[in-house]
Amino acid sequence: MTRAEAVNPAARAPVNKVYFMQNSQSSDAIIIGAGFSGLYLLHKLRELGLSVVVFERGGDVGGTWYWNRYPGARCDIESTWYSYSFSPELEREWKWSQRYAKQEEILAYAGHVADRFALRPFIRFNTRVDGAHFDERAQEWVVQTDVGATHRAPLLFAATGPLSDSNVPPLPGLNTFAGEIHHTGAWPHQAVDFAGKRVGIVGTGSSGVQTIPMVARQAAQTFVFQRTPQFVLPAEHREVSEEESARIRSDYAQLRTLQRSAPTGFWANPGPHRFFDVSSEERAEELERRWKNGGFAFLQAFTDMLTNEKANVEASAFVKRKICDAVNDPEIAARLTPTFALGARRPVLGDRYYETFNQTNVTLVDLKQEPIVGLTTDGLSTSQHHFPLDAIVFATGFDALTGAILKLNLKGRDGITIQDAWADGPKNTLGFMVHGFPNFFMLAGPGSPAVRGCVITSTEQQVDWLADCVAHMRRHRLATIESTAQSDQAWVETVNEAAGTTLTSTVDSWYLGSNIPGKPKVFMPYSGGFGVYRDICDNVARGGYERFTFSKAPAAAPAEQAAPSC
Ligand code: NA7
C-alpha cells in the first residue's frame, strides 16, 4: 500500500474515467500550477465531478515552496495560519513543528495534502505551459506544453502563483561571470556550499534578509548589495511544543473564525487602542512587548499606527532605534535604516539580520551611493569599486502577479493577446477574469487580495467562489463566462481606490511593478481587506454573477440524430 493509500482510502479506488483519462488530450478543466491554490482547486473540481488535468513545471507539488529552497527559507506567517482550513481532519492530523515553518516542512505538508486527497494522478509534472488559445468554434481552450502535447478543455485556470516568475536583473556582463550564480526563487535541490567563498548577495527583500545571515555563517566573505533598506522585524522563531500543537489543533474551529475576520487573513492580536489614547510609557511598553514576541503583531500594536502620520513616525523611530542598538557601526546602521514610513512596504521578518552586519566577514554595499555597473568574469563592479566574487546570489524577487500569467502567451477571443489586453496594466474583474478571455480564471493574481496577507487563506476563498461559479454554469448549462470591459475597468478603479487608503501605494515596490524595468506602474493587488473582498465576491454570485456575461451551451442533439454507435 502506498503512503497515499494508507492515509486516504479514496486513493485505493481505481482512477475514475469520469475524472481523468490518462492518455486523453482533453478534459473538462486544465489547471496550470500545483502549488497551494492549484492543489485545492483540483480537489474542489474533482468533488464537482469534473475531469481535470494539472500541468506543473516543477518536479513535485508545492509551488513557491518547491522552488525557494535557499538557506533560511521560511514562511513569514505563522504555521497556525499558513495552512488549509477546508478539512478538519487535515487540521487535526498535521503537526507543525515550528512557529514559522521552514521551506522543507511546508513542502512536506503540500506533499501530504496531495497524497491524502489522492491528487497526484491528475498532475503532469515537469511540464510547462507555453501557450494557450481560445477556440471560439469549439468554445475550448487549446493549451500547448513544452513536451509538445496539445490539450483541450472548456475551462482554464492559472494557479501560477503571484511570486513565481524570478527576476534576474539584466546586468551587463551577466553571462561572462565565471563563478556560480543562483536566484533564491530557483534554488538548486542540492545544498550549495559557500564555505571559504567570496559571496555577493544582491537584494534585501524577504528572501535576501533570510539568506544573508545563513550565507554569512559559512562564507569567507559576504558582500550585501542593498538598493533599498527594509524594516526588518524580529521573527522570534521557536519550536512548537506538543502541548501547544495539540491545543492549536483542537481549537482550529475558533482560530479559523478569528483568521477569517482579519483583513490580512491571519490573526495578529490587534491592539484595541489608538496610538495617542494611551500614555507614552504605555505605548513604549506595548511596542517593546510586541517587539520581543516577534512577528507582524508588532504592526498591529495600535489601531492607527500605520495610518496616523504622527503615530507612524513614532513607531518608525522605535524600529530605527532598534537598528542602531543592533548594529555596532553607526554609519552602517544609518545605511540599513529605511527612509519610508513603517508599513509603506511589506515589512520583512528576520532572524538576527541587523546583527549580521557586525561580523567582520560581512560588507554592506549601498547601491544608492554606488549602483551596479555590471558583472565581469571574476566579480561584480559598482560605480566605485570592483568586488571579486566566487558566487553571486540574486535575491532580486519576481515579476510579481503578472509575470507568470503573461508567460502563458494567452490568446483569447478574436486573437487578442494577454500582452495587448494588459498593455497598460492588468485589467480584470475581481482578480478572476479578463474581458476577451472567456472561461479563463486566475488565482492570487492581480486584482486579488492574496499577497496582502496569508495567500492560502485568500486562495481558499477564491477557489470556493470559482467552484461555485463552475457548479452554477453546469446547473444552468452555460458554456462560457466572461467579464465585461466595463466591469474590468470598474475593478481597476476599485483596486486603485483601496490602494489609495494605504501607505503601500506611496512607495515603489513590486505591488506597483516598479521593480521590473518597463512594466506599467499600476498598483496590482486589492488592498481593501480579505473580508471586504469576500463580501464583494459573494454579492456578485448572489446577484447571478453580475459583471459577467454567459453564453448558453448548445442544446443536446435529439436522440434520433445522434451518431450511430459502432
Ligand atoms: P522582493 O521583496 O521583491 O526583494 C527583491 C530585492 O532585490 C529588493 O531588495 C530589491 O531592491 C532588490 N533588487 C531588485 N532588482 C534589483 C537590481 N536590479 N539591482 C539591485 N537590487 C535589486 O523579493 P523577495 O524574494 O525578497 O520577496 C518576495 C516576497 O516573498 C516578499 O514580499 C514576501 O511576500 C515573500 P528594491 O527594494 O527594489 O530597491
Side-chain angles (χ1 to χ4, degrees):
M1 194 183 289
T2 66
R3 184 168 167 227
E5 290 165 352
V7 290
N8 179 14
R12 284 198 288 276
V15 173
N16 189 334
K17 279 192 175 176
V18 170
Y19 296 141
F20 182 67
M21 289 169 281
Q22 190 68 40
N23 299 313
S24 168
Q25 300 292 302
S26 65
S27 53
D28 294 328
I30 293 170
I31 300 173
I32 309 169
F36 277 91
S37 59
L39 285 179
Y40 180 45
L41 179 63
L42 169 60
H43 174 63
K44 286 293 284 190
L45 295 184
R46 285 190 60 214
E47 279 187 340
L48 289 179
L50 270 67
S51 59
V52 187
V53 61
V54 180
F55 296 116
E56 166 55 57
R57 75 187 161 105
D60 202 351
V61 297
T64 199
W65 303 105
Y66 175 85
W67 297 102
N68 285 264
R69 296 165 186 249
Y70 59 84
R74 330 176 160 248
C75 190
D76 58 5
I77 292 174
E78 290 171 58
S79 40
T80 305
W81 314 120
Y82 194 81
S83 57
Y84 286 117
S85 67
F86 71 87
S87 162
E89 297 77 25
L90 174 64
E91 287 178 333
R92 272 196 298 276
E93 70 200 19
W94 184 266
K95 292 185 194 173
W96 293 104
S97 72
Q98 306 212 336
R99 180 181 180 186
Y100 303 90
K102 283 186 178 172
Q103 174 267 335
E104 307 91 281
E105 194 169 12
I106 305 175
L107 193 60
Y109 175 71
H112 172 74
V113 170
D115 290 338
R116 193 190 186 296
F117 296 97
L119 303 175
R120 287 186 196 278
F122 307 96
I123 307 171
R124 299 195 187 175
F125 294 107
N126 301 307
T127 306
R128 196 185 61 220
V129 169
D130 284 339
H133 73 269
F134 188 66
D135 176 342
E136 290 181 57
R137 209 176 46 79
Q139 301 204 312
E140 281 183 343
W141 280 93
V142 185
V143 168
Q144 292 91 43
T145 68
D146 65 343
V147 297
T150 298
H151 300 261
R152 290 177 160 267
L155 305 172
L156 177 64
F157 298 86
T160 40
L163 296 162
S164 53
D165 185 24
S166 298
N167 163 43
V168 178
L171 297 170
L174 188 63
N175 296 327
T176 60
F177 181 62
E180 295 165 57
I181 292 188
H182 302 291
H183 188 285
T184 46
W187 202 259
H189 287 209
Q190 308 73 28
V192 179
D193 185 11
F194 292 116
K197 293 186 178 156
R198 300 160 299 176
V199 183
I201 303 179
V202 185
T204 53
S206 262
S207 308
V209 164
Q210 291 185 336
T211 311
I212 289 160
M214 304 297 285
V215 171
R217 277 182 211 168
Q218 258 204 344
Q221 282 180 289
T222 303
F223 297 91
V224 176
F225 297 93
Q226 171 194 271
R227 193 162 68 178
T228 311
Q230 293 278 8
F231 281 106
V232 181
L233 310 176
E236 297 301 328
H237 303 306
R238 57 174 171 74
E239 303 286 312
V240 173
S241 68
E242 276 292 327
E243 298 73 50
E244 188 180 355
S245 169
R247 202 176 54 245
I248 291 168
R249 285 179 290 122
S250 66
D251 285 352
Y252 253 128
Q254 292 91 312
L255 292 172
R256 295 301 187 195
T257 306
L258 275 181
Q259 177 167 21
R260 289 197 191 98
S261 72
T264 52
F266 63 93
W267 184 249
N269 298 315
H273 303 295
R274 286 185 305 183
F275 200 79
F276 293 108
D277 284 352
V278 300
S279 69
S280 59
E281 291 77 24
E282 282 172 281
R283 286 202 295 274
E285 213 173 277
E286 182 62 2
L287 290 176
E288 191 62 42
R289 190 181 70 76
R290 286 180 181 252
W291 184 267
K292 285 211 173 92
N293 280 345
F296 289 130
F298 178 82
L299 300 172
Q300 299 200 16
F302 297 95
T303 53
D304 58 348
M305 206 166 92
L306 302 184
T307 49
N308 174 332
E309 201 181 325
K310 268 181 76 184
N312 192 285
V313 168
E314 272 204 29
S316 301
F318 177 94
V319 182
K320 289 174 183 176
R321 280 195 298 279
K322 291 291 183 191
I323 300 174
C324 287
D325 292 348
V327 181
N328 298 338
D329 182 331
E331 256 182 53
I332 297 176
R335 277 187 268 146
L336 287 166
T337 301
T339 49
F340 51 83
L342 177 66
R345 280 175 155 219
R346 178 182 170 126
V348 170
L349 295 193
D351 184 17
R352 299 189 64 73
Y353 173 70
Y354 291 120
E355 289 80 354
T356 302
F357 292 89
N358 296 330
Q359 289 180 213
T360 51
N361 66 335
V362 177
T363 306
L364 178 66
V365 183
D366 185 348
L367 299 181
K368 287 265 156 58
Q369 301 294 321
E370 45 179 312
I372 297 175
V373 292
L375 270 58
T376 59
T377 48
D378 72 333
L380 184 153
S381 298
T382 66
S383 57
Q384 293 175 23
H385 298 94
H386 179 68
F387 298 90
L389 299 170
D390 302 303
I392 298 178
V393 173
F394 285 106
T396 39
F398 303 89
D399 184 350
L401 293 154
T402 55
I405 295 171
L406 288 168
K407 288 217 166 93
L408 299 177
N409 294 315
L410 303 171
K411 259 194 200 160
R413 259 191 310 102
D414 305 322
I416 183 175
T417 65
I418 192 75
Q419 282 75 8
D420 283 342
W422 284 0
D424 301 324
K427 284 191 189 144
N428 64 77
T429 293
L430 299 177
F432 284 128
M433 297 203 83
V434 185
H435 178 63
F437 297 80
N439 288 6
F440 169 69
F441 309 90
M442 300 176 293
L443 286 154
S448 99
V451 294
R452 299 311 316 270
C454 184
V455 176
I456 295 187
T457 319
S458 175
T459 50
E460 268 192 319
Q461 176 265 332
Q462 286 203 303
V463 166
D464 288 341
W465 192 90
L466 285 176
D468 286 347
C469 177
V470 170
H472 171 89
M473 289 174 70
R474 287 167 81 85
R475 243 188 343 267
H476 296 278
R477 296 188 47 76
L478 301 169
T480 63
I481 177 172
E482 184 181 344
S483 61
T484 65
Q486 294 83 339
S487 72
D488 281 13
Q489 186 55 39
W491 188 245
V492 166
E493 284 159 23
T494 304
V495 168
N496 281 334
E497 272 165 35
T501 64
T502 70
L503 288 169
T504 41
S505 61
T506 61
V507 291
D508 279 345
S509 74
W510 54 261
Y511 291 149
L512 275 157
S514 44
N515 61 326
I516 303 295
K519 188 165 173 171
K521 216 166 153 181
V522 174
F523 197 89
M524 294 179 285
Y526 174 72
S527 305
F530 282 24
V532 177
Y533 175 79
R534 189 175 48 233
D535 290 346
I536 296 172
C537 293
D538 290 349
N539 284 335
V540 168
R542 264 196 297 274
Y545 296 91
E546 58 203 31
R547 308 185 189 202
F548 298 93
T549 54
F550 291 95
S551 74
K552 276 265 181 204
E560 63 270 22
Q561 288 177 15
S565 59
C566 304

